[in-house]
Amino acid sequence: MRMPRRGLVIQARTRWLLVGLALLFSLVLLMYLLECAPQTDSNGSLPGVVGESMGKEYYQALLQEQEEHYQNRATSLKRQIAQLKQELQEMSDKLKSLQEKKSPKVSGMSYQGTKEQTSNDLLEFLHSQIDKAEVSVGAKLPSEYGVIPFESFTSMKVFQLEMGLTRHPEEKPVRKDKRDELVEVIEAGLEVINNPDEEDGQDEDDGVGDRQLYSENDFIEGYYRTERDKGTQYELFYKKMDGMEYRHVTLFRPFGPLMKVKSETVDISRSIINIIVPLAGRTEAFAQFMQNFRDVCIHQDKRVHLTVVYFGQDGLSEVKSILESVARETDFHNYTLVSLNEEFNRGRGLDMGARAWEKGEVLMFFCDVDVYFTAEFLNSCRLNAEPGKKVFYPVVFSLYNPAIVYANQDIPPPVEQQLVHKKDSGFWRDFGFGMTCQYRTDFLTVGGFDLEVKGWGGEDVHLYRKYLHGDLMVIRTPVPGLFHLWHEKHCADELTPEQYRMCIQSKAMNEASHSHLGMLVFRDEIEAHLRKQAYRTNSEAVG
């Protein structure tokens, strides 16, 4: 009698499974139809449409963007339906496998219990992928080559290290799957913020009317990276235009549907950044740096302290004069000048600047005099460094020699007009680790810089490796608001062979793009060709 009963149980379970599948597909189809239905609310805002004139072109652009929005949403829904189908099939196969392995004593288990167990197994597996990935805590790595850097994006552009065939450091997503992915992620982050659950720390009594709802226009920036054996991590930041609070959402796609890791509010309104600049000579570059500092830090951000560590006596009076002049003209007095009468050592200077701060914990930005940054970068610095948890190592966009880049112009344009992300204007300095945002306690806990390193280069890599060998998470990503301005580089004979090699490599990569360097190498050949062409043209004209 056992065999017939077992057959009846399997048939009953199969019927219930089919009924469940039918109901689920009906619900998904209904959601799809509702989502794709045209909206009649003429006041709805669309991402990317900002203050255009009320003309025929405006309405055509509005209709086109609305159509693209619906197409993207429909594509996202279709992809989610396909994922659900695949998961249901996997769950069905797993259920059959479990039924085949059950003993006669367990064969009487209810279908509901088996279904719940299967669902729990699936969730357990997906969460195990998050636990194995470097999402909530850092992973100890053997060297800088083990780091998986993030790539950053806004609603319009992606800033990428792996440039591929296009060789563009900044571009609009060309591949449709990449566009759809980023649209889906931004919308998923909005869903988490606008419909919080108990884990997000918001009271259930708060009605929708009491909450501030976010839209696509409130998305500021995001970062993503993929661990090939685990999944893709997304760090998303949203902010209202008139507020200082950021909403930070972390999502993780464990090679399946997106899963929320956390959702939190990040208040950076009181976060002071101590910008530390080591310097020796180069007073003209310092004057240019202070002009950028005045525009960004004093007039816009207003939450910074400047620490200048100066080596030697030559030029010290000029640096003092520049700082005092800025203080008089802007009423800015949040700066410290540390004077060291010794040979320049970048690691020593930054270490002294960090220890000169006597007001407890502070976020530090290790900077150089040739670096140009924006107010948006300072906020990225605040958002991606957290004491005891993570340090921020942004990838700088390094500008080429303007005399080569703008050789067809009489004089290079002003610096502000050179700040563009193009393959012939600069490159992502992914081998440089000197610009970093980290908290003072973390810096002191890992032991700071290796002060035995003399002269140029090497000290930043040593510090970077210390963090990689520890438990803190290292956020490594290109950022659009951080530029390294070109300057003449001299490699001294006193450098060690390793330092000299690094200096020459940096000098070569800083000069010009591959194509521009090629034009310089083959300049004589090109000029000879042009002379032959001109002679041939003149001969034909005379003949």
Side-chain angles (χ1 to χ4, degrees), residues 251-296:
L251 299 175
F252 188 76
R253 189 195 301 274
F255 297 119
L258 285 169
M259 297 180 66
K260 184 189 72 177
V261 176
K262 67 178 178 180
S263 176
E264 62 183 357
T265 298
V266 183
D267 184 6
I268 61 172
S269 59
R270 298 180 181 179
S271 178
I272 302 296
I273 299 179
N274 182 17
I275 301 177
I276 304 176
V277 181
L279 185 64
R282 309 205 54 213
T283 54
E284 291 184 5
F286 182 69
Q288 185 180 45
F289 173 86
M290 287 305 298
Q291 182 60 49
N292 175 229
F293 183 88
R294 180 201 300 243
D295 296 339
V296 173

Side-chain angles (χ1 to χ4, degrees), residues 2 26 60 74 91 124 132 144 172 211 213 240 250 308-309 324 337 350 374-375 377 379 425 484 492:
R2 288 181 178 177
S26 300
Q60 288 178 343
M91 290 175 63
E124 183 179 351
K132 289 186 290 186
E144 62 271 24
K172 293 182 178 180
R211 282 202 312 269
L213 297 181
K240 288 294 183 182
T250 301
V308 179
V309 182
E324 291 170 355
L337 176 60
L350 293 172
T374 65
F377 164 75
N379 284 334
S425 64
H484 181 271

Side-chain angles (χ1 to χ4, degrees), residues 377-485:
F377 164 75
L378 294 178
N379 284 334
S380 297
C381 179
R382 295 181 174 100
L383 291 168
N384 291 286
E386 189 174 350
K389 293 187 177 180
K390 56 185 179 181
V391 292
F392 187 39
Y393 271 87
V395 181
V396 183
F397 192 78
S398 191
L399 297 177
Y400 292 132
N401 186 346
I404 298 177
V405 175
Y406 305 99
N408 58 342
Q409 302 181 22
D410 294 336
I411 58 173
V415 170
E416 291 76 14
Q417 296 180 20
Q418 299 178 29
L419 306 178
V420 292
H421 300 93
K422 295 184 180 299
K423 60 183 179 180
D424 284 332
S425 64
F427 66 100
W428 292 113
R429 187 189 284 260
D430 56 346
F431 57 83
F433 307 98
M435 308 307 116
T436 172
C437 297
Q438 52 194 258
Y439 276 85
R440 185 173 182 268
T441 53
D442 294 330
F443 174 76
L444 297 178
T445 299
V446 298
F449 287 102
D450 182 356
L451 300 182
E452 298 301 319
V453 178
K454 304 295 183 183
W456 186 92
E459 79 290 333
D460 50 355
V461 181
H462 283 85
L463 178 63
Y464 185 62
R465 288 173 179 168
K466 286 182 180 181
Y467 284 116
L468 298 182
H469 297 161
D471 295 325
L472 269 66
M473 187 184 303
V474 177
I475 306 296
R476 178 77 167 158
T477 178
V479 289
L482 191 61
F483 295 86
H484 181 271
L485 305 180

Side-chain angles (χ1 to χ4, degrees), residues 110-381:
S110 66
Y111 170 74
Q112 184 65 30
T114 306
K115 181 180 178 182
E116 290 178 357
Q117 181 61 42
T118 304
S119 177
N120 291 336
D121 290 344
L122 179 60
L123 287 175
E124 183 179 351
F125 167 75
L126 295 176
H127 281 289
S128 70
Q129 292 288 84
I130 297 179
D131 294 336
K132 289 186 290 186
E134 190 183 356
V135 177
S136 300
V137 295
K140 295 183 179 180
L141 302 172
S143 72
E144 62 271 24
Y145 298 103
V147 174
I148 302 177
F150 286 82
E151 302 204 328
S152 58
F153 65 97
T154 64
S155 57
M156 299 297 294
K157 293 181 179 179
V158 175
F159 304 93
Q160 52 197 1
L161 289 175
E162 299 294 335
M163 296 183 289
L165 187 62
T166 62
R167 304 301 298 172
H168 294 303
E170 167 198 275
E171 70 175 15
K172 293 182 178 180
V174 176
R175 289 179 42 165
K176 185 176 182 299
D177 59 340
K178 176 57 66 177
R179 291 198 307 270
D180 293 344
E181 175 196 2
L182 298 182
V183 168
E184 179 192 5
V185 168
I186 294 173
E187 291 179 352
L190 290 172
E191 179 69 19
V192 170
I193 294 175
N194 294 330
N195 298 285
D197 52 30
E198 295 179 357
E199 298 177 359
D200 299 331
Q202 297 197 23
D203 296 333
E204 293 183 359
D205 296 336
D206 293 345
V208 176
D210 299 327
R211 282 202 312 269
Q212 196 174 34
L213 297 181
Y214 287 72
S215 68
E216 292 94 334
N217 294 326
D218 299 320
F219 176 71
I220 302 299
E221 64 179 351
Y223 311 119
Y224 68 92
R225 66 176 177 182
T226 299
E227 295 185 63
R228 297 185 183 276
D229 59 337
K230 299 177 185 70
T232 303
Q233 174 186 353
Y234 304 90
E235 302 288 340
L236 311 173
F237 296 95
Y238 303 80
K239 184 180 81 71
K240 288 294 183 182
M241 185 173 294
D242 54 351
M244 280 308 300
E245 279 193 352
Y246 283 76
R247 293 304 306 269
H248 175 204
V249 177
T250 301
L251 299 175
F252 188 76
R253 189 195 301 274
F255 297 119
L258 285 169
M259 297 180 66
K260 184 189 72 177
V261 176
K262 67 178 178 180
S263 176
E264 62 183 357
T265 298
V266 183
D267 184 6
I268 61 172
S269 59
R270 298 180 181 179
S271 178
I272 302 296
I273 299 179
N274 182 17
I275 301 177
I276 304 176
V277 181
L279 185 64
R282 309 205 54 213
T283 54
E284 291 184 5
F286 182 69
Q288 185 180 45
F289 173 86
M290 287 305 298
Q291 182 60 49
N292 175 229
F293 183 88
R294 180 201 300 243
D295 296 339
V296 173
C297 300
I298 300 178
H299 294 157
Q300 298 181 49
D301 191 85
K302 303 177 182 179
R303 291 164 291 161
V304 298
H305 183 95
L306 175 64
T307 300
V308 179
V309 182
Y310 195 85
F311 290 82
Q313 296 299 315
D314 292 342
L316 178 59
S317 59
E318 293 180 56
V319 169
K320 285 183 179 179
S321 176
I322 293 171
L323 289 171
E324 291 170 355
S325 175
V326 172
R328 285 194 308 270
E329 295 172 5
T330 63
D331 196 28
F332 176 82
H333 301 283
N334 294 331
Y335 71 86
T336 301
L337 176 60
V338 179
S339 176
L340 299 177
N341 192 18
E342 54 189 77
E343 185 181 353
F344 179 79
N345 182 313
R346 185 176 185 272
R348 163 99 168 130
L350 293 172
D351 188 83
M352 288 294 295
R355 298 180 189 277
W357 179 268
E358 299 178 346
K359 301 178 183 179
E361 182 67 290
V362 69
L363 175 60
M364 305 182 300
F365 170 39
F366 293 160
C367 187
D368 284 342
V369 71
D370 300 300
V371 167
Y372 185 103
F373 54 85
T374 65
E376 290 75 19
F377 164 75
L378 294 178
N379 284 334
S380 297
C381 179

Side-chain angles (χ1 to χ4, degrees), residues 42-60:
S42 59
N43 296 325
S45 62
L46 291 173
V49 179
V50 181
E52 300 183 20
S53 60
M54 301 295 291
K56 180 179 177 181
E57 295 80 5
Y58 166 73
Y59 288 107
Q60 288 178 343

